[in-house]
Amino acid sequence: MSAEPRFFNRELSWLEFNQRVLDEARNAANPLLERLKFLAITASNLDEFASVRVGGLKLLCERGASRPDPSGMTPEQQLAAVCARMHAFIVEQYRCLLDELEPALTEAGIRRLRPADLSDRQRKIAELVFEQEVFPILTPIAVPTVADFPPLINQTFNVCVRLAPAPETAEPRFAVIPFGRQRKRFITVPVEQGYGYCPLEDLVGMSVQRFFPGETIEECISFRITRNADLELREELTSDILEEMKEVLAARKESECVRLEISDAASEAVREFLQTALELDDDSVYAIPGPLDLAAFMRLTDSQGFDHLKFEPWPPIPSPQLDPAESLFAAIARRDVLLYHPYESFEPIVRLLEEAADDPEVLAIKQTLYRTSPRSPIIAALKRAAQNGKYVTALVELKARFDEARNIEWATDLERSDVQVIYGVKGLKTHAKICIIVRREPTGIQRYVHFGTGNYNEITSRFYTDASLMTCDEELGADATTFFNAITGYSQPQRFRKLEAAPLGMRDKLLEMIEAEIIRKKHGQRALIMAKFNALSDEKMIEALYAASNEGVKIRLNIRGVCCLRPGVPGLSENITVTSVVDRFLEHSRIVYFHHGGDQRLFISSADWMSRNLDRRVELLVPVEQPQARDRLLAVLKTSLQDDVKARRLLPDGRYESVSRNPRSEPVRSQEALYRRYRDAAEDRARPEFTMFEPHRAPGQDDD
């Protein structure tokens, strides 16, 4: 067996995931504006990583924590390795932008205009925009000493201005111009053909003298700070979760700085001034060789008139299982409905809530809400249902990171509409996605239940892959009610008939299913585990998979992001393969399969295999048993595992490489294959059962 650690480091594994996203930005086979979009996503991802993960490591180091993680690295070692990797990553990001994307964009007609590039006419227009839209809004702040440094807003643009020393002193003088939450990151500049733009900081730099009449300006440098967002709600010390969460949000605005991004044109004097004021070491300062905040370039990807630089549209497909003219209650009563988004539209889930809100036979709606959209039709339906006299209960998770303020706002709005709002489970995050609709029917009370792997958000459902199961199965309905009562009241959790929940029995159920495959393999039977989720870092789950691999159980994993399991190591994990797919949709669904002696067991889940999900969150593991729904879901899982175009395979040393293609079969790009098949099925309603949905196999190719 290898002498290497049994686990990869979680933080470095996440950074390798972001590298795979950057690889798509550098992939010349992708349309140009899609490449720019991938680059913007890497920057947005890195912002969150710096604020949460780097912030957390810094807190551990400040507290003197020295306990190593499963990979054997102490917090201090992790922080050093993470900062080094981030510095190298940023170099590659800007090489991608400046050397690859910008020249190609310029040739295609989308051009970033630097001040030196502007014609007299363009300069006059830029100056007019500054006078009318920028100068009246921005406010310079003098900073006589570092003690006077203003409390800048997290991850917003700022300019540091160095003024000539006053006559009576040789010391430089500094001022800061905060941009605040400016929506306008780029200024449109008229050009003869195509689209021209100028970053706002360049516009300010051109006219910065207007803020300091009579002063000599020696330097004008853009910079950006990241504050620590790893601040948790201390529920054991509060009786009012809503008020405590508001205090956490306020504290986050003033938390310590963990990263400084600064233009590489900055002098040593400006860099030292900012670094001292923000109390940062050298590793936390990132010199940027181009425009700061690459995430803002996402706005350019929607530029009009450049559709040829974007992916072919893949609009969500109406499910062939559902007739738009038929009530969803009737359709679900006939059989379970399994939808897979974004290939299939999220509209039926919205329609189910809207029907329930207006149906006089619906008595109650109970729903968990983790994240949703700003103008959510689901929130509107819940409000209307309450106003129509139905008993509506919404469990709102206030601790959904970075969505806390929005959740507080619409939770308060729901309460004003007579919805009974419950603020999660004390000490846990409620991450399960479930909606129960109680309806009076001629045969008695019937429960209709929706289980999902993703949020109740019709916007993200268009680019996140997620599974939805709508059912009126009696046992699942009873379990759903038991589950909801347990998390909203004081009732002791009862044993479920079919569901499993974290932090109660989900881990044990999964370990039991893995052990069952081991036992079957020991008895000479076929044994196979397949799974798809976003992250795998829990030690116990990984050790169980190692044990299964050592007994000869074949294990095929498709893990988008963090994977701490080391695959393909002789004597440890030689029967485990791990792939990751990064493509135009964000892979988000969680699907788990056990061969189970031929009696196949298939589950969807809200949980990744991380300790936080299994031990510190309220999650659900839901069996998909109805044959047609199960076959559809299994086909999705197999297709994801067969990708040899966008998939990358995790190697024993932690690197990822392209998956080797089978020369005997056509290439499989899983997302494209799934979209084409769902589209074809919708066009041919005579064959809605997806018998043609089986993934393509080369001769002799087996599931193993």
Side-chain angles (χ1 to χ4, degrees):
M1 194 180 94
S2 170
E4 294 290 329
R6 297 168 70 86
F7 304 94
F8 293 126
N9 175 260
R10 169 182 166 170
E11 319 304 344
L12 295 177
S13 178
W14 185 93
L15 288 168
E16 288 309 310
F17 156 67
N18 212 31
Q19 177 66 52
R20 296 194 294 281
V21 181
L22 183 58
D23 290 344
E24 291 301 310
R26 307 196 70 174
N27 184 351
N30 288 325
L32 191 53
L33 285 178
E34 303 297 343
R35 294 175 63 188
L36 185 64
K37 184 179 293 185
F38 280 118
L39 180 64
I41 290 170
T42 68
S44 178
N45 287 347
L46 203 61
D47 282 349
E48 182 170 343
F49 181 82
S51 62
V52 178
R53 305 307 305 175
V54 174
L57 286 173
K58 280 183 173 285
L59 285 177
L60 289 175
C61 292
E62 290 169 6
R63 295 168 184 168
S66 59
R67 181 180 177 181
D69 77 324
S71 72
M73 299 176 70
T74 65
E76 188 174 345
Q77 290 171 329
Q78 292 181 67
L79 184 59
V82 161
C83 288
R85 184 68 181 90
M86 287 173 63
H87 278 282
F89 185 81
I90 287 171
V91 169
E92 193 171 349
Q93 276 183 314
Y94 281 89
R95 186 180 297 130
C96 175
L97 175 69
L98 302 176
D99 298 346
E100 300 173 23
L101 296 185
E102 281 202 334
L105 287 166
T106 298
E107 185 175 346
I110 301 175
R111 183 182 177 195
R112 174 165 68 98
L113 295 168
R114 296 163 176 80
D117 299 328
L118 299 177
S119 67
D120 290 342
R121 176 174 172 272
Q122 290 170 332
R123 182 175 292 274
K124 287 180 181 178
I125 292 173
E127 289 172 351
L128 182 62
V129 171
F130 174 83
E131 286 295 332
Q132 293 181 345
E133 301 182 21
V134 179
F135 182 68
I137 297 172
L138 301 188
T139 303
I141 302 173
V143 189
T145 69
V146 293
D148 301 304
F149 199 81
L152 301 176
I153 300 173
N154 182 43
Q155 293 179 350
T156 58
F157 243 94
N158 310 275
V159 164
C160 181
V161 180
R162 179 165 65 93
L163 305 170
E168 66 275 8
T169 176
E171 293 297 320
R173 293 177 298 150
F174 296 96
V176 170
I177 305 177
F179 286 18
R181 297 288 181 196
Q182 275 278 349
R183 293 184 179 181
K184 185 171 286 189
R185 175 69 175 84
F186 303 113
I187 304 300
T188 299
V189 180
V191 292
E192 290 185 5
Q193 289 185 328
Y195 174 72
Y197 67 96
C198 177
L200 186 59
E201 66 271 26
D202 286 354
L203 191 68
V204 171
M206 288 167 50
S207 303
V208 69
Q209 188 71 58
R210 288 281 284 117
F211 291 105
F212 306 96
E215 296 284 352
T216 300
I217 296 175
E218 298 187 337
E219 205 169 355
C220 179
I221 297 296
S222 57
F223 72 97
R224 188 169 177 263
I225 70 168
T226 299
R227 295 190 182 278
N228 188 356
D230 191 30
L231 304 175
E232 295 296 337
L233 180 71
R234 301 181 66 187
E235 293 181 71
E236 72 280 3
L237 300 180
T238 182
S239 59
D240 191 331
I241 294 178
L242 182 63
E243 288 304 314
E244 179 68 13
M245 180 53 69
K246 291 178 181 178
E247 291 182 17
V248 169
L249 293 176
R252 194 179 285 169
K253 294 178 182 179
E254 302 175 359
S255 62
E256 67 171 331
C257 182
V258 297
R259 179 180 63 162
L260 167 65
E261 298 167 278
I262 183 172
S263 169
D264 66 353
S267 67
E268 185 61 33
V270 169
R271 177 177 171 133
E272 182 179 347
F273 165 71
L274 291 174
Q275 191 171 341
T276 302
L278 296 168
E279 300 180 334
L280 291 171
D281 55 29
D282 290 342
D283 284 346
S284 301
V285 180
Y286 295 81
I288 305 299
L292 275 67
D293 186 18
L294 292 179
F297 279 82
M298 182 68 77
R299 300 174 194 178
L300 292 182
T301 65
D302 291 328
S303 299
Q304 299 300 309
F306 296 95
D307 289 350
H308 61 291
L309 302 181
K310 303 175 185 178
F311 283 133
E312 167 199 356
W314 286 355
I317 303 296
S319 173
Q321 306 169 85
L322 300 172
D323 183 345
E326 181 185 34
S327 164
L328 276 168
F329 295 120
I332 298 168
R334 190 162 53 251
R335 68 179 179 189
D336 290 358
V337 175
L338 190 287
L339 302 177
Y340 199 67
H341 320 294
Y343 312 102
E344 291 186 292
S345 173
F346 191 75
E347 185 271 340
I349 288 82
V350 176
R351 181 156 65 94
L352 180 65
L353 268 296
E354 290 177 337
E355 281 189 26
D358 298 324
D359 187 338
E361 302 306 323
V362 168
L363 306 176
I365 302 173
K366 305 177 183 183
Q367 184 164 5
T368 60
L369 294 168
Y370 190 74
R371 302 186 199 274
T372 190
S373 61
R375 296 178 179 85
S376 171
I378 287 178
I379 297 295
L382 293 176
K383 290 164 58 178
R384 191 166 73 252
Q387 291 161 359
N388 286 342
K390 303 175 194 315
Y391 190 91
V392 182
T393 304
L395 190 149
V396 178
E397 182 48 77
L398 295 182
K399 301 183 288 294
R401 196 187 302 273
F402 301 125
D403 272 341
E404 300 98 335
R406 177 184 296 168
N407 288 10
I408 288 172
E409 181 180 346
W410 51 253
T412 304
D413 189 31
L414 284 171
E415 286 184 319
R416 286 196 292 262
S417 300
D418 296 331
V419 174
Q420 179 66 49
V421 177
I422 298 168
Y423 296 113
V425 180
K426 194 167 186 176
L428 302 169
K429 276 189 181 181
T430 302
H431 193 247
K433 313 306 190 303
I434 180 174
C435 174
I436 308 168
I437 298 170
V438 182
R439 190 169 188 264
R440 181 175 47 224
E441 298 186 348
T443 55
I445 297 299
Q446 180 67 62
R447 284 171 288 213
Y448 293 84
V449 188
H450 170 264
F451 299 102
T453 65
N455 296 307
Y456 288 101
N457 187 323
E458 79 288 351
I459 295 177
T460 57
S461 73
R462 296 179 68 89
F463 51 89
Y464 281 33
T465 71
D466 274 305
S468 281
L469 177 66
M470 294 189 287
T471 181
C472 61
D473 178 273
E474 183 178 346
E475 291 184 295
L476 285 176
D479 278 355
T481 298
T482 298
F483 170 79
F484 214 92
N485 290 343
I487 61 176
T488 61
Y490 288 106
S491 63
Q492 291 299 312
Q494 304 296 308
R495 183 171 181 82
F496 296 116
R497 305 179 193 182
K498 291 185 176 181
L499 294 179
E500 287 296 346
L504 303 172
M506 185 186 296
R507 179 193 292 278
D508 291 342
K509 176 67 174 181
L510 292 169
L511 291 174
E512 174 189 310
M513 297 297 292
I514 295 172
E515 182 62 26
E517 295 298 311
I518 293 175
I519 293 172
R520 284 179 166 81
K521 189 64 180 179
K522 286 180 177 180
H523 285 84
Q525 299 178 28
R526 185 178 183 227
L528 173 65
I529 299 171
M530 298 187 292
K532 178 185 182 303
F533 28 76
N534 303 320
L536 171 61
S537 61
D538 183 80
E539 291 178 66
K540 292 180 181 178
M541 300 306 299
I542 293 174
E543 290 289 7
L545 294 174
Y546 285 158
S549 172
N550 281 332
E551 294 297 337
V553 177
K554 295 292 184 182
I555 302 169
R556 302 173 62 194
L557 305 176
N558 185 272
I559 303 172
R560 184 195 80 211
V562 170
C563 181
C564 296
L565 178 148
R566 187 183 291 270
V569 178
L572 179 67
S573 56
E574 56 200 283
N575 288 307
I576 304 176
T577 59
V578 178
T579 58
S580 171
V581 171
V582 176
D583 203 347
R584 63 186 292 175
F585 296 140
L586 180 77
E587 295 290 341
H588 190 254
S589 57
R590 291 92 166 184
I591 307 170
V592 188
Y593 166 93
F594 300 96
H595 184 64
H596 205 67
D599 180 20
Q600 301 175 108
R601 301 295 174 87
L602 200 62
F603 303 86
I604 61 172
S605 181
S606 59
D608 290 312
W609 287 11
M610 305 176 72
S611 298
R612 72 180 189 189
N613 296 88
L614 299 176
D615 299 332
R616 300 189 298 278
R617 288 188 173 186
V618 177
E619 306 272 15
L620 279 173
L621 181 71
V622 184
V624 178
E625 298 176 328
Q626 198 273 335
Q628 291 161 342
R630 186 186 60 204
D631 291 347
R632 280 171 146 252
L633 190 62
L634 183 55
V636 168
L637 179 58
K638 288 181 177 179
T639 302
S640 299
L641 288 164
Q642 287 188 314
D643 194 306
D644 58 8
V645 175
K646 290 297 185 178
R648 299 293 180 267
R649 182 169 68 94
L650 177 57
L651 302 178
D653 62 3
R655 293 181 298 114
Y656 283 80
E657 68 173 12
S658 297
V659 172
S660 299
R661 292 182 180 173
N662 188 332
R664 296 176 295 169
S665 62
E666 292 295 321
V668 178
R669 180 183 174 190
S670 58
Q671 292 191 359
E672 182 176 24
L674 288 170
Y675 184 78
R676 304 296 181 199
R677 289 166 184 170
Y678 277 108
R679 183 194 61 188
D680 293 347
E683 291 174 354
D684 187 0
R685 288 180 176 271
R687 295 185 299 158
E689 308 305 339
F690 277 74
T691 55
M692 71 294 201
F693 204 87
E694 188 68 15
H696 179 81
R697 282 199 187 90
Q701 187 177 358
D702 191 23
D703 288 340
D704 287 353

